[in-house]
Amino acid sequence: MNDPTYSMPKEKQKPGWSLTMLLFGAVNAVFAFTGVWSWWALLWAPLLAIGFGAMVYEWRLLTRNKWRMSAMEWVFLTMAHVGLAAILAAILGIPNP
């Protein structure tokens, strides 16, 4: 009894930076309307941790697919990393220009 699901090749997963960008954008929005060290840390800290996890996962997918992404995903990748840099600057107290 052959199972056809095992004989079919699995499609490669492609990286999608939309979720990572959304999570870092949400953390930046929380920082824009509240203080970094307030009770809102209960919201932004888990979002930031999930964002880091999503970013690591997407980088692993990106290296497996030999850097093949659409142009929009490259824009999302850049925006996600700029958002992460803004978050880290806010947490470390580096003033915005």
Side-chain angles (χ1 to χ4, degrees):
M1 303 288 175
N2 291 338
D3 188 5
T5 57
Y6 291 115
S7 62
M8 298 177 77
K10 293 182 180 178
E11 290 185 23
K12 288 187 177 181
Q13 291 180 330
K14 294 182 181 178
W17 291 89
S18 307
L19 176 65
T20 308
M21 187 186 70
L22 178 70
L23 290 169
F24 289 154
V27 174
N28 278 320
V30 169
F31 284 171
F33 296 113
T34 64
V36 173
W37 303 114
S38 67
W39 67 274
W40 282 93
L42 297 174
L43 175 64
W44 69 257
L47 286 176
L48 184 61
I50 294 169
F52 274 128
M55 190 162 74
V56 168
Y57 177 73
E58 297 299 338
W59 270 107
R60 288 183 62 183
L61 286 179
L62 185 62
T63 56
R64 286 183 193 156
N65 286 319
K66 306 207 186 324
W67 301 87
R68 294 184 185 138
M69 291 191 309
S70 67
M72 193 59 161
E73 291 300 324
W74 282 105
V75 171
F76 285 167
L77 177 140
T78 305
M79 290 173 60
H81 285 76
V82 167
L84 175 62
I87 291 168
L88 294 177
I91 291 173
L92 295 174
I94 299 171
N96 291 337

